[in-house]
Amino acid sequence: MLKNKVFLTQTDTTIGFVSQNAERLTEIKQRPPHKYYIKAVNSLKTLKTFTRIPSNHKNRVRRARKSTFIMPDGHSYRVIRDTHHLLLLNRLQWAYTTSANLSGQPYDEIFAKEAADIIVTPLKTKKKPSIIYKLGKHTLQRIR
């Protein structure tokens, strides 16, 4: 039921689309299908079901706030701590998350509300995007 829905919600960093269906998000955003989405998870326990965090970076991932980590396999994850966003994620456990706009375009509220199946209010303003780190076995590289 909820797995195929696209939610428009205030995420921990910006107003965005949240869904467990990557194909629907790709279709809505008109984005190249080979690009990965950030997978938002509700806890470190859920994160451990998807990937193994390199030993050198376990403390960094556990303590991070509003940070996205690209793992050595190329997939990216963000552990959500924001209480408003966690209300939805605790029901889903994990979801793909992306900004609520067409690929490469600025945010358009009318487009976002038409494209979403469910709108979770309140929608506040856009905030600073998350910091993105690429984790290697021994290295750390800041992407954004």
Side-chain angles (χ1 to χ4, degrees):
M1 287 143 277
L2 293 178
K3 293 186 187 275
N4 291 323
K5 300 289 184 190
V6 175
F7 298 88
L8 175 65
T9 185
Q10 177 71 44
T11 65
D12 58 338
T13 56
T14 186
I15 299 171
F17 293 128
V18 174
S19 178
Q20 287 188 334
N21 189 338
E23 291 82 28
R24 286 274 323 272
L25 290 175
T26 301
E27 178 184 315
I28 288 170
K29 288 185 59 84
Q30 299 172 7
R31 182 177 172 176
H34 65 278
K35 287 181 133 185
Y36 292 126
Y37 286 100
I38 295 171
K39 193 176 282 188
V41 296
N42 66 339
S43 68
L44 290 168
K45 184 178 178 181
T46 306
L47 177 62
K48 287 170 68 174
T49 64
F50 291 111
T51 189
R52 182 184 173 282
I53 301 165
S55 296
N56 292 352
H57 305 293
K58 286 183 180 180
N59 277 337
R60 181 175 287 109
V61 172
R62 188 175 74 242
R63 294 178 180 162
R65 301 285 182 262
K66 297 184 182 179
S67 298
T68 300
F69 295 95
I70 302 172
M71 297 297 167
D73 66 357
H75 294 278
S76 49
Y77 300 92
R78 183 166 64 233
V79 179
I80 303 300
R81 314 253 192 240
D82 179 63
T83 54
H84 178 72
H85 194 187
L86 268 176
L87 291 173
L88 175 61
L89 275 180
N90 282 336
R91 289 178 175 87
L92 298 173
Q93 292 204 340
W94 67 271
Y96 297 109
T97 181
T98 183
S99 58
N101 56 358
L102 288 171
S103 186
Q105 300 295 317
Y107 174 71
D108 179 15
E109 187 174 359
I110 296 167
F111 162 75
K113 287 184 176 180
E114 288 175 357
D117 297 324
I118 299 171
I119 300 170
V120 180
T121 57
L123 296 175
K124 301 172 191 162
T125 59
K126 292 182 72 171
K127 299 177 189 173
K128 189 179 90 168
S130 66
I131 298 169
I132 298 177
Y133 295 104
K134 184 171 185 176
L135 304 181
K137 205 169 189 180
H138 302 288
T139 59
L140 173 73
Q141 179 181 7
R142 184 173 171 161
I143 305 294
R144 174 175 70 191

